[in-house]
Amino acid sequence: MNIRLLALFIIASVIGLSACKKNDDAPVVVQKVGLNMINASPDVVNIYLNGTRLNNNTNIDPGISTGYYNVPIGKQTYQLKKAFNTSSSTVETLFSKTIDTAVTTAQRSLFVVDETAANAFVTVDNLQADTVPHTCFVRFVNASPDARSLDLAVGDTIQFKNVAFKSATGFISVSVNATTDSLKPLKVFVNGSLTPLINGHVNLGEGRSYTFYAKGKAAGTGNAVFGVGTTINFN
């Protein structure tokens, strides 16, 4: 009887030690990086990570950026799908794209241009706080597949020249007003041309980082018309 009790005690002790060891294991820490999705396409879409929808609250309309999602570092597969079709009760998958964020820990932006993975592309967003008074940061991305290489002028000077499709410039500093947003001229040209494709104005706020991006097509109509979108990367 005593031998049985001793054996049961030993077994219980082993099980208890094993359970304690498992409970003391350090949790697995998944490193994260920021991924922003910019919808430069004419479609209303949603973005999924390995099958799980990231934008839970609303669909992503044309010209809208999602802000930075915290996603795992490394190779991840993202799916782009159209919004739910109430007539057919279906969700159409447009494409999947694998993005590798393991090279650097800098944040990224995924530009969705149309319904193809071939035209979608990723930029590295080297964001930093603007510590110089009365300035902001701006950059230019060409997300228009047929508009050729482009120049962008913010204010009275062309800051970015010969930006090809799928290319992104670095951020540069631009002066703004001290207490209010600055209304600056914004013009887009085919590289080397003196006649602007886009001739408008944009409000720039101190301390922010802006991405201006060409979108649409030269002969596009509706949501696919050629234009310039804006997203704030850092506020």
Side-chain angles (χ1 to χ4, degrees), residues 158-176:
I158 293 179
Q159 279 86 6
F160 307 108
K161 294 183 178 181
N162 202 26
V163 181
F165 175 51
K166 294 187 180 182
S167 295
T169 71
F171 286 94
I172 66 168
S173 181
V174 172
S175 63
V176 297

Side-chain angles (χ1 to χ4, degrees), residues 9 13 23 27 31 47 49 51 58 72 76 81-82 86 88 92 108-109 120 130 156 160 187 192 197 200 209 214 224:
F9 175 77
S13 299
N23 291 336
Q31 288 185 292
I47 184 170
L49 170 56
T58 184
Q76 305 293 331
K81 302 180 181 182
K82 285 189 177 182
T86 56
S88 61
E92 179 184 352
R108 309 294 208 283
S109 286
D130 184 2
D156 298 323
F160 307 108
K187 298 178 182 180
L197 299 174
S209 295

